[in-house]
Amino acid sequence: MRPRLVVLIAAAVAVFAAALPLAQMKPWNNAGLSGPPSGPAGPAPRRDLSGTWDAGNAGIQPTGHVAAPFTPRGEQMAKANKPGNGSRLVSVNDDNDPLSTMGDPTGFPRIVLYELRPFQIVQTSNQVLILYMFEKRWRVIWTDGRALPTNPDPRWYGYSVGRWIDDSTLVVNSVGTDDRTWIDNAGNPHSNSLRVEERYHRVNQRTMELTVTLDDPVVYTKPWVAVDKLQINLMPNGSDLMEMIPSASEAAAYRRVIASQAKTK
Amino acid sequence: MRNIIVAVSIAALGVPLVSVSLMAHHGAAALDTGKEITLKGTVTEWIWSNPHCFLQFDAKDDTGNVRNWAVETQNPTAMTQRGWSRTSFKAGDEVTVTLEPVRNGQPIGRLLTVVLPNGEKLVAATATSAP
């Protein structure tokens, strides 16, 4: 074999061998970050939240939140909700959580306040899209300057608009949520008058903080902060997220085999 | 080797063994908190699903009667982080299961650990702390 050909073949093999481990470093079905990032972080890019993010276990609130005091109407609504967790927990046979017993959508803001699993943010010229691993749902946040709708038809995930208040903070305001959804696992209710503010503050290249404030004068006597500066970390570029879909058939199998058999009365 | 990998993975991931969402769908009130039992049995089904995965297996009780147990873990996402997978078990596997039973005597509970026929141990959770 001529020496030049041998060199070419050797070079091709080397390139292939180098590319192989790189390809193997891109796993499918990522369940989330293995821990907080370490090492120095770069500066936050200007007005950019794009990427895949994970708050880890801090994003999951199985027992719900301590809400502001109820109004009389809120008290009435809360009594109708029979949660499987939190301070008003009931027996499994009385649980009427629309998510876990009926397969209803989690809805907004519960998807942020209960199962904030990893999510991806995609920015376009006039939208911020949030793609949630949990339920494989998405939200559209309009950033084109439009106003929120007045008296909108309720939607499971509401109506959202966003604006940058500085180069690293996006404030999202939402209305028009569906009062069939709960706020959290504790059965805290909301009305169709609920207004939600989410504040996404990018601290640096790999970290942002989320603060969520709820204002629902029909149900609560004052606005309250449900999430306060929750740290959310950027996942590696190319992270492929698992599906985490609470399907009705799987939930029914779980209730039949486990939950209904575990009842205490 | 596998249990070492799982243990190391858990330590490396910083995943707490006591789940934050276990029993989130019917509350820990149904459990005999802190009670653990260990049973030898045969896997009948491993259900990899939301909201929680669960393992079904046949095991003899004290009188020699076979009961089909169903013991839950967490969701596939959390179990993946602990090194478990859709293929962790197959029907017919002989296993030794340590679990936390429900209060009402039904063959239901929370899965704590499983020892596979080759001695490998999979860890799902620790028992609920007794009040």
Side-chain angles (χ1 to χ4, degrees):
Chain A
M1 194 175 289
R2 298 168 66 176
R4 191 172 175 183
L5 185 60
V6 171
V7 170
L8 278 174
I9 291 172
V13 169
V15 167
F16 180 73
L20 197 59
L22 199 63
Q24 289 169 342
M25 285 168 59
K26 302 288 184 188
W28 296 87
N29 278 332
N30 196 314
L33 284 173
S34 56
S38 58
R46 183 178 179 274
R47 299 191 174 197
D48 185 4
L49 299 175
S50 57
T52 302
W53 299 86
D54 184 15
N57 277 341
I60 306 158
Q61 299 294 329
T63 57
H65 296 265
V66 178
F70 292 126
T71 63
R73 174 66 183 139
E75 194 76 49
Q76 195 178 22
M77 292 174 73
K79 281 181 180 167
N81 294 350
K82 310 290 186 189
N85 224 310
S87 61
R88 296 190 300 276
L89 174 149
V90 299
S91 169
V92 60
N93 25 334
D94 294 328
D95 187 348
N96 66 358
D97 185 334
L99 169 62
S100 62
T101 68
M102 291 182 278
D104 273 2
T106 307
F108 178 79
R110 191 175 179 183
I111 198 161
V112 175
L113 302 183
Y114 162 41
E115 286 272 20
L116 188 60
R117 298 280 177 173
F119 59 91
Q120 183 174 357
I121 291 182
V122 178
Q123 292 183 206
T124 71
S125 60
N126 59 356
Q127 299 167 317
V128 172
L129 308 175
I130 304 185
L131 318 176
Y132 297 99
M133 181 173 97
F134 188 68
E135 281 193 330
K136 212 152 186 169
R137 301 275 187 196
W138 76 93
R139 289 171 60 209
V140 176
I141 296 159
W142 290 100
T143 53
D144 57 2
R146 73 180 64 192
L148 284 168
T150 53
N151 195 27
D153 284 339
R155 301 201 301 205
W156 294 107
Y157 287 85
Y159 301 76
S160 301
V161 298
R163 70 185 194 286
W164 292 93
I165 60 168
D166 58 41
D167 283 349
S168 61
T169 309
L170 178 72
V171 174
V172 179
N173 293 100
S174 301
V175 297
T177 55
D178 191 316
D179 65 2
R180 287 175 294 177
T181 65
W182 294 0
I183 276 176
D184 57 20
N185 273 17
N188 284 315
H190 70 88
S191 75
N192 294 344
S193 300
L194 172 68
R195 302 182 76 89
V196 182
E197 181 193 273
E198 300 157 272
R199 195 167 279 251
Y200 295 87
H201 173 59
R202 188 151 188 176
V203 178
N204 53 44
Q205 184 273 331
R206 67 178 187 211
T207 307
M208 68 173 166
E209 291 173 343
L210 170 62
T211 299
V212 182
T213 306
L214 309 183
D215 185 7
D216 187 346
V218 174
V219 176
Y220 300 98
T221 53
K222 57 184 179 184
W224 56 285
V225 175
V227 172
D228 189 12
K229 293 183 178 174
L230 172 68
Q231 182 174 320
I232 308 175
N233 299 309
L234 188 64
M235 293 179 67
N237 189 24
S239 295
D240 175 77
L241 297 180
M242 289 182 73
E243 278 192 339
M244 192 173 182
I245 300 175
S247 82
S249 62
E250 289 185 354
Y254 172 77
R255 282 198 303 279
R256 186 182 68 252
V257 176
I258 300 279
S260 65
Q261 303 299 316
K263 61 189 177 185
T264 52
K265 65 178 183 180
Chain B
M1 182 63 185
R2 189 173 181 182
N3 58 336
I4 294 172
I5 292 171
V6 171
V8 169
S9 299
I10 289 169
L13 296 176
V15 177
L17 285 179
V18 178
S19 156
V20 292
S21 59
L22 206 62
M23 290 291 186
H25 305 276
H26 53 84
L31 288 170
D32 251 338
T33 53
K35 182 178 178 183
E36 289 184 29
I37 60 173
T38 299
L39 299 168
K40 288 190 174 183
T42 305
V43 171
T44 56
E45 197 163 8
W46 168 232
I47 309 291
W48 183 254
S49 70
N50 286 294
H52 297 176
C53 309
F54 51 95
L55 179 70
Q56 292 182 271
F57 64 98
D58 287 335
K60 286 183 181 175
D61 63 15
D62 293 341
T63 62
N65 292 322
V66 173
R67 303 182 87 190
N68 186 244
W69 281 80
V71 287
E72 68 171 321
T73 65
Q74 282 210 63
N75 55 66
T77 305
M79 298 315 288
T80 297
Q81 289 175 317
R82 291 168 189 198
W84 296 50
S85 75
R86 189 186 292 276
T87 56
S88 290
F89 310 97
K90 62 181 186 304
D93 282 352
E94 299 294 326
V95 289
T96 302
V97 179
T98 301
L99 61 97
E100 188 173 15
V102 293
R103 292 180 191 278
N104 65 11
Q106 292 295 312
I108 304 292
R110 169 163 50 183
L111 179 56
L112 303 177
T113 63
V114 182
V115 179
L116 302 174
N118 61 6
E120 295 170 3
K121 184 178 182 181
L122 299 177
V123 178
T126 53
T128 307
S129 299

